[in-house]
Amino acid sequence: MKKIAVLGAATTKFGELWGISPRSLLKEAVTEALSESNLSLKDIDALFVGNMLSGILGGQEHLGAFVAEELGVNIPAFKIEGACASGGLAVHAGTLSIVSDVYQKVLVVGVEKMTDHKPEETAAALMGAGSDEERTAGATFPSLYALIARAHMKNFGTTEEQMAAVSVKNHFHASLNGKAHFAFPITVTQVLKSPYIASPLKLLDCSPISDGAAAVILSAESYALKHKGKIKPVWITASAVATDSLGLAQRKDLTSLNSAIMAAKKAYRQAGLSPADIDVAEVHDCFSIAEIIAMEDLGFFKKGEAARNIAAGKTRLGQKLVVNTSGGLKASGHPVGATGVKQIVEITHQLQGAAGKKQVLGAKIGLAHNVGGTGATAVIHILQSF
Amino acid sequence: MKKIAVLGAATTKFGELWGISPRSLLKEAVTEALSESNLSLKDIDALFVGNMLSGILGGQEHLGAFVAEELGVNIPAFKIEGACASGGLAVHAGTLSIVSDVYQKVLVVGVEKMTDHKPEETAAALMGAGSDEERTAGATFPSLYALIARAHMKNFGTTEEQMAAVSVKNHFHASLNGKAHFAFPITVTQVLKSPYIASPLKLLDCSPISDGAAAVILSAESYALKHKGKIKPVWITASAVATDSLGLAQRKDLTSLNSAIMAAKKAYRQAGLSPADIDVAEVHDCFSIAEIIAMEDLGFFKKGEAARNIAAGKTRLGQKLVVNTSGGLKASGHPVGATGVKQIVEITHQLQGAAGKKQVLGAKIGLAHNVGGTGATAVIHILQSF
């Protein structure tokens, strides 16, 4: 794949933002990303919006035009939906449009407003990511990931303490991220003492329902090189997507996500890199078990070995590979359509050396892993600084 | 823009298909399109799904993976949403992915299942295409297009009889289309005697709520030329999108759609053609007035002159420019996400000489005009046979 430049990247604060409209959220993220890219809205050729729930929760199903109107532009605008992978898919669609050279500078914005509804309504809406059977049976995502966790515990001896360590690490990272939903540390004991949501997953194993927006500005290599004095581009060197069954019942194995394995293989091949080359990664920890499985699917640890390595602190700030410096979905928050874009924002800032207190020193190569549902969609991006 | 080949194209029957699931609909359209393209599913690299209401009406918001699962493939899959222009946007996104050469053969499928709900629920869901103000004020699309019709009548003397003639023409064409929702002719008197929905628009000025699916298979030029013996490709020579305000209150003029004018200009430029070159067009006649305005926005008639030309039969089968040979949205039906794809299917079949009784003799150049809401999104494609 041709290299794509990320010219600017920004997120809003994530959290329960009851006083802030979706319009304000997306505008804030876009304005900051544009400013970083030294561009103005009139320079942008097309607009890709990652969002899942604007229809179900907001009654709004013309979201591309909605964003274009809010920004005051008449450019081509698309809403890209792929459940919790909507943001990653929007970035992928943006990269395709740049590689095509039909559009030269594009804006990708992910936005979700989830906390204005009763939690049970939002939880029901989120089941739109699952299969018909799962939905009609009354399953929820915590219950589905609980099945996955049970299978992983049975096959590999993974423990609740090890899962707790994922949340502890991610809260530690979030404590260094002023924009995180939960910018404070927690302990393993706190996780273990938190109430069960769907055994073995407890409250503090689960990512929250959040509001937020994130934006990136993408361009072709030629533009970025020409303007290098004024901007600090990082490069998308791989963008890969794969899909799998919506429902768990159709899978042979619950302990890995086939879509993530396939997309990761494609991405490593596109970038000519291997897992050992990655310095910093944002992975889709919608539940603690999901990060453990992600680390195995992405080839960072052998199958069955991620949990104990994470619990031993091997992916914490200061180590060779640092995972979820933003705080991940767990602690940075999970406004679903924004999440996949936020991951690109975090990796971009890490590779620019602009990640503040959570900076991974010398980070040159980063990876983002965005998952829809229980893995029906997976999107992998690899970013590099040169 | 590089030429894109349409290798295969198909629609299901459109209508009140209560006994047929969305899965069956999309599978039927895809299977027929694949068969026409002499390809099998394993040859397809990516999947773009045009759909508006799967979330609001069906609780399903992971529609790309849903379609991939139904087809039994693990390829990248996207739901593209842009209200009633979702299908056209999905085709545009498909063309971008082919031009990028990241994907070589892609499937675009539009699908919508609308009739399983109470009409008032579906009508409310459709307001997801409008502005917040319009929605909260209780406006519906017939009422918004009624405002547009009133403005056009006032400025240009357009009459209810002339609007009725649009529906009469489209029903005549639909009577030649076995897959149309309403495959029977109607008279001007019948239209004029049908009850007002939102004055001046009557029942027979309005497109129906329909179920249906449509699919096209796209590839790069090189592939299509190599396999020309086995397939009958037609060529997309322009694909253009523009946006405008969601709501009517933000527009300077109600009698034309700025987005359609902008997208059409881009499209004619891309193809190096002018309105006079078009032999056959599918335009977005969600209401009879919309077709009148489309004919002016697309440059087929001067401003204010479309209504009387349509009423004089100038766009009926047998004339130099024939419009909505499928029956248009009015009579072929309007399953919203499928509509933009169906337009491409109809033009493809016309340019292949495969449109049966509704064939436009010698058609070489066709245009598709797909609109979201009251024109917040417009997508124009030009297709040619060489």
Side-chain angles (χ1 to χ4, degrees):
Chain A
M1 201 187 82
K2 284 187 204 166
K3 278 192 294 188
I4 301 292
V6 184
L7 305 178
T11 78
T12 63
K13 182 170 166 46
F14 284 7
E16 288 194 36
L17 310 175
W18 295 346
I20 308 179
S21 72
R23 287 178 187 275
S24 303
L25 284 173
L26 66 90
K27 200 154 187 181
E28 182 189 331
V30 170
T31 304
E32 200 179 320
L34 276 171
S35 147
E36 199 176 284
S37 69
N38 203 36
L39 288 172
S40 67
L41 276 167
K42 68 173 174 23
D43 300 314
I44 300 296
D45 301 314
L47 170 56
F48 296 86
V49 185
N51 173 271
M52 177 182 179
L53 299 170
S54 74
I56 298 186
L57 293 183
Q60 175 52 255
E61 281 294 17
H62 205 164
L63 202 70
F66 176 96
V67 176
E69 176 186 84
E70 181 57 27
L71 300 176
V73 292
N74 294 104
I75 57 178
F78 307 79
K79 168 177 164 176
I80 311 285
E81 181 272 308
C84 311
S86 299
L89 285 180
V91 174
H92 182 68
T95 66
L96 293 178
S97 81
I98 298 274
V99 177
S100 76
D101 200 32
V102 173
Y103 303 119
Q104 286 74 41
K105 297 182 285 297
V106 310
L107 165 62
V108 182
V109 55
V111 62
E112 208 81 55
K113 195 77 175 71
M114 304 173 71
T115 72
D116 296 352
H117 292 74
K118 292 180 194 157
E120 58 271 29
E121 285 172 5
T122 306
L126 285 167
M127 279 313 293
S131 72
D132 298 351
E133 297 77 13
E134 287 167 352
R135 234 166 341 129
T136 50
T140 59
F141 274 98
S143 74
L144 295 170
Y145 273 95
L147 292 173
I148 291 172
R150 281 280 169 224
H152 207 274
M153 292 166 82
K154 181 161 178 275
N155 287 7
F156 304 109
T158 305
T159 66
E160 295 189 39
E161 287 77 4
Q162 288 168 341
M163 291 194 273
V166 173
S167 298
V168 171
K169 167 184 71 66
N170 290 347
H171 269 260
F172 166 63
H173 291 161
S175 74
L176 309 172
N177 175 8
K179 290 184 168 176
H181 192 156
F182 300 131
F184 53 80
I186 57 171
T187 65
V188 168
T189 310
Q190 282 176 304
V191 181
L192 294 176
K193 284 193 170 165
S194 68
Y196 280 106
I197 300 296
S199 170
L201 299 177
K202 292 165 288 292
L203 181 65
L204 293 179
D205 287 298
C206 305
S207 63
I209 284 169
S210 313
D211 305 322
V216 294
I217 315 284
L218 308 179
S219 84
E221 187 177 8
S222 53
Y223 176 88
L225 291 178
K226 209 155 78 186
H227 297 80
K228 227 180 161 180
K230 292 181 183 166
I231 47 171
K232 220 172 175 178
V234 304
W235 305 94
I236 297 178
T237 56
S239 179
V241 181
T243 49
D244 198 0
S245 69
L246 284 172
L248 291 183
Q250 286 72 37
R251 312 265 178 92
K252 280 186 191 147
D253 176 15
L254 295 187
T255 65
S256 61
L257 306 187
N258 203 26
S259 57
I261 293 172
M262 285 187 287
K265 267 189 197 159
K266 263 199 278 187
Y268 288 131
R269 199 168 52 231
Q270 282 174 14
L273 295 171
S274 75
D277 296 315
I278 307 298
D279 300 313
V280 57
E282 288 283 305
V283 308
H284 198 93
D285 61 320
C286 45
F287 300 92
S288 53
I289 186 65
E291 179 163 328
I292 292 168
I293 287 175
M295 299 308 288
E296 296 170 351
D297 289 346
L298 293 167
F300 293 136
F301 297 110
K302 284 189 191 141
K303 194 74 211 155
E305 295 188 5
R308 92 181 141 70
N309 277 292
I310 296 169
K314 293 285 179 62
T315 57
R316 200 179 157 97
L317 203 59
Q319 299 291 316
K320 195 187 157 299
L321 165 67
V322 190
V323 175
N324 282 333
T325 49
S326 71
L329 284 60
K330 170 64 196 87
S332 174
H334 183 27
V336 290
T339 286
V341 183
K342 181 218 72 177
Q343 294 179 328
I344 304 295
V345 173
E346 177 64 17
I347 298 293
T348 297
H349 288 163
Q350 287 287 350
L351 302 188
Q352 289 172 329
K357 288 187 210 163
K358 54 188 168 52
Q359 180 65 46
V360 173
L361 292 178
K364 296 271 183 224
I365 305 179
L367 180 147
H369 160 277
N370 185 203
V371 168
T374 53
T377 300
V379 188
I380 310 286
H381 284 94
I382 296 176
L383 288 87
Q384 299 181 243
S385 64
F386 292 108
Chain B
M1 200 187 83
K2 285 187 204 167
K3 279 193 294 187
I4 302 293
V6 184
L7 305 178
T11 80
T12 64
K13 182 172 167 37
F14 284 6
E16 288 195 35
L17 309 174
W18 294 347
I20 309 179
S21 72
R23 287 178 187 275
S24 302
L25 284 173
L26 67 92
K27 200 156 187 178
E28 183 190 329
V30 170
T31 304
E32 200 179 320
L34 277 170
S35 147
E36 198 177 283
S37 69
N38 203 36
L39 289 171
S40 66
L41 276 167
K42 67 172 177 21
D43 300 314
I44 300 297
D45 300 314
L47 169 58
F48 296 86
V49 186
N51 174 272
M52 177 182 179
L53 299 170
S54 73
I56 298 185
L57 292 183
Q60 175 52 256
E61 280 295 17
H62 205 164
L63 202 69
F66 176 96
V67 176
E69 176 186 85
E70 181 57 28
L71 300 175
V73 292
N74 294 103
I75 56 178
F78 307 79
K79 168 176 164 177
I80 310 287
E81 182 271 308
C84 310
S86 298
L89 285 180
V91 174
H92 182 69
T95 67
L96 293 177
S97 81
I98 298 274
V99 177
S100 76
D101 201 33
V102 173
Y103 303 119
Q104 285 74 40
K105 296 181 286 297
V106 311
L107 165 62
V108 182
V109 56
V111 63
E112 209 79 55
K113 195 77 173 74
M114 303 173 72
T115 72
D116 296 352
H117 292 73
K118 292 181 195 155
E120 58 271 29
E121 286 173 6
T122 306
L126 285 168
M127 280 312 295
S131 73
D132 298 351
E133 297 76 15
E134 287 167 351
R135 238 167 338 132
T136 49
T140 60
F141 274 98
S143 73
L144 295 170
Y145 273 94
L147 293 173
I148 291 173
R150 281 277 169 226
H152 207 275
M153 291 166 82
K154 179 162 179 277
N155 287 7
F156 304 109
T158 306
T159 66
E160 295 188 38
E161 286 77 5
Q162 288 169 340
M163 291 194 271
V166 173
S167 298
V168 170
K169 168 183 70 67
N170 290 346
H171 269 260
F172 166 63
H173 291 162
S175 73
L176 309 172
N177 175 8
K179 289 184 167 175
H181 192 157
F182 300 130
F184 53 81
I186 58 172
T187 65
V188 168
T189 310
Q190 281 177 306
V191 181
L192 293 176
K193 285 195 170 164
S194 68
Y196 279 106
I197 300 297
S199 171
L201 299 178
K202 293 163 287 293
L203 182 65
L204 294 179
D205 287 299
C206 305
S207 63
I209 283 169
S210 313
D211 304 322
V216 294
I217 315 285
L218 307 179
S219 85
E221 187 177 7
S222 54
Y223 176 88
L225 291 179
K226 209 155 80 186
H227 295 81
K228 228 181 161 180
K230 294 181 181 163
I231 47 171
K232 220 171 176 178
V234 304
W235 305 94
I236 296 177
T237 55
S239 179
V241 182
T243 48
D244 198 358
S245 69
L246 284 173
L248 292 184
Q250 285 73 39
R251 311 263 179 92
K252 280 185 192 149
D253 177 14
L254 295 187
T255 66
S256 60
L257 306 186
N258 203 25
S259 57
I261 293 172
M262 286 187 287
K265 267 190 196 157
K266 263 199 279 188
Y268 289 130
R269 198 169 53 233
Q270 282 175 14
L273 295 170
S274 76
D277 297 315
I278 308 296
D279 301 312
V280 57
E282 288 283 305
V283 309
H284 198 93
D285 61 320
C286 46
F287 299 92
S288 53
I289 185 65
E291 179 163 328
I292 292 168
I293 288 176
M295 299 308 288
E296 296 169 352
D297 290 345
L298 293 166
F300 294 135
F301 297 110
K302 284 191 191 138
K303 194 75 211 157
E305 296 187 4
R308 92 181 139 70
N309 277 291
I310 296 170
K314 292 284 179 64
T315 57
R316 199 179 156 98
L317 203 58
Q319 298 293 315
K320 196 188 155 297
L321 165 66
V322 190
V323 175
N324 281 334
T325 50
S326 71
L329 284 59
K330 170 63 198 88
S332 173
H334 184 28
V336 289
T339 286
V341 183
K342 181 219 73 176
Q343 295 178 327
I344 304 295
V345 173
E346 177 63 17
I347 298 293
T348 298
H349 288 162
Q350 287 287 352
L351 301 188
Q352 288 172 330
K357 288 187 212 163
K358 54 187 166 56
Q359 180 65 46
V360 174
L361 293 177
K364 297 272 185 225
I365 305 179
L367 180 147
H369 159 275
N370 186 204
V371 168
T374 51
T377 300
V379 189
I380 310 284
H381 283 92
I382 296 176
L383 288 85
Q384 300 181 243
S385 64
F386 291 109

